[in-house]
Amino acid sequence: MPFILIRLVRRLGRVQAWGLPLLIILTVFLTSWPLMAWAEPPENTITAAENYWWWFLVTASTVGYGDFFPTTLGGHLVGVYVIVGGIATLTTVFTRIATAIETAKGQRMKGRIELDISDHLVILGYTPGRTERLVEELAGDGTGPIALCAWEDVPQHPMSEHAGVEFVRGDLADEAVLRRAGLHRAARVLVDARDDNEALTLTVAVTHVRPDAHVVVTLRDMGRARNFSYVDDDVRCVQWHSPRLATEELQDPGIAAVYAELMTHGGRNTYSARLPARLAGRGFGRVQEALGRGFGATVLAVQHRGELLDPSWETPLPEDSVLYYVGRRRLTAEEIADTCSA
């Protein structure tokens, strides 16, 4: 009997997917029942309809409860046939499962799967080393799941060791590829392209698929930021050479505009001033409040002998401290001393 089963498996080797194990077990069942009825005496109730399916199930699965069993040599041979058929079926099933798992893993590594995530971050473009640093900074801030999208020249997932980073590969200007990355459900998008022309193309595609997302674009030439405002006024452009600014804008929307205002001539700027000697020991909060009321300035940091301090409101400022502040203009030592002493 086993050789019949082996020939059957060889003939059906090309049957697709799960049809093969189902066909094997059905064939064994339908052929073994009449053979068992022929081999066993009538008084053996194993061949009764209400009993045989149960005996076949426990025997094919190699459990064998022993409540029903064949008594003749022919019946024993049929039992061997059923056992071999059960083993062949289980082996085929496990092989199919293992193949399905490996196929899914391979598809994930090649970026061919459709992601089932939402409210995530989509990164369009991959640059070795740079993208890893961006992801590390974002992961440190608890950004949530990330969909990394790369062009076809990236053969497989470059960051597979990161559990929270999924991978999609293809034409990044293609709507179908963007939807595979779940961009239509994304909360934020970082366009980190290979050049500014490509960045503009991808931004058009992004705003078409997901017009409500917070989109940040890195540019080599910030003079081209105006072109992106034609696509969408809410697109935020940052300098490509300042990846930290890109991650900050993704985490805190609008911060890039604040930095741009600080760096714009005629707007507020950052300055430093040494703390006047007569203000030594004065509480940080009093100095902060006086400069704010008198000049609309905001103290950002305090340095003392090369070390940045983290003062509380009541912390006395040591002598020779340096104040770093944002204001409309540079303040003289006399202005600072007079205002804080009033």
Side-chain angles (χ1 to χ4, degrees), residues 63-305:
V63 175
Y65 282 114
D67 47 354
F68 299 102
F69 53 88
T71 59
T72 66
L73 176 61
H76 292 161
L77 293 176
V78 174
V80 172
Y81 172 53
V82 171
I83 291 173
V84 173
I87 293 174
T89 301
L90 291 175
T91 302
T92 305
V93 169
F94 292 147
T95 301
R96 298 295 188 193
I97 293 174
T99 301
I101 293 174
E102 286 299 317
T103 300
K105 183 178 179 181
Q107 291 293 92
R108 177 181 178 273
M109 287 297 296
K110 294 178 181 179
R112 300 304 186 192
I113 64 173
E114 183 171 348
L115 305 184
D116 185 19
I117 52 178
S118 58
D119 295 327
H120 57 294
L121 166 65
V122 176
I123 300 178
L124 297 181
Y126 172 73
T127 303
R130 170 185 171 86
T131 305
E132 282 82 356
R133 290 193 299 271
L134 286 169
V135 170
E136 289 293 341
E137 291 182 4
L138 291 166
D141 292 335
T143 193
I146 297 174
L148 173 61
C149 303
W151 294 91
E152 292 285 358
D153 56 355
V154 181
Q156 63 180 11
H157 197 333
M159 303 180 65
S160 57
E161 70 280 2
H162 288 74
V165 180
E166 298 292 346
F167 180 57
V168 170
R169 173 169 161 256
D171 182 355
L172 302 188
D174 186 354
E175 180 177 350
V177 174
L178 297 179
R179 289 187 175 276
R180 276 202 291 116
L183 189 137
H184 53 296
R185 299 186 300 269
R188 293 164 294 172
V189 181
L190 173 61
V191 179
D192 196 46
R194 294 171 292 191
D195 57 63
D196 291 351
N197 290 330
E198 182 181 285
L200 183 57
T201 300
L202 297 184
T203 302
V204 171
V206 167
T207 54
H208 168 70
V209 175
R210 181 63 165 167
D212 297 331
H214 178 55
V215 182
V216 179
V217 183
T218 59
L219 294 178
R220 275 78 168 174
D221 180 9
M222 286 299 293
R224 301 192 62 182
R226 182 187 299 270
N227 297 336
F228 290 79
S229 67
Y230 301 151
V231 178
D232 192 324
D233 288 336
D234 293 329
V235 172
R236 300 296 180 215
C237 298
V238 299
Q239 175 59 247
W240 188 89
H241 299 288
S242 301
R244 179 60 185 171
L245 183 55
T247 60
E248 289 181 357
E249 176 62 31
L250 286 168
Q251 298 285 26
D252 301 295
I255 199 169
V258 174
Y259 286 155
E261 175 65 19
L262 293 177
M263 299 303 294
T264 301
H265 179 71
R268 289 175 175 264
N269 209 339
T270 53
Y271 304 96
S272 66
R274 189 169 297 277
L275 184 72
R278 58 181 164 138
L279 295 182
R282 188 69 56 96
F284 170 75
R286 292 181 60 189
V287 174
Q288 174 79 284
E289 182 179 6
L291 294 180
R293 291 181 180 274
F295 303 102
T298 302
V299 179
L300 298 177
V302 179
Q303 187 184 67
H304 182 247
R305 296 179 180 176

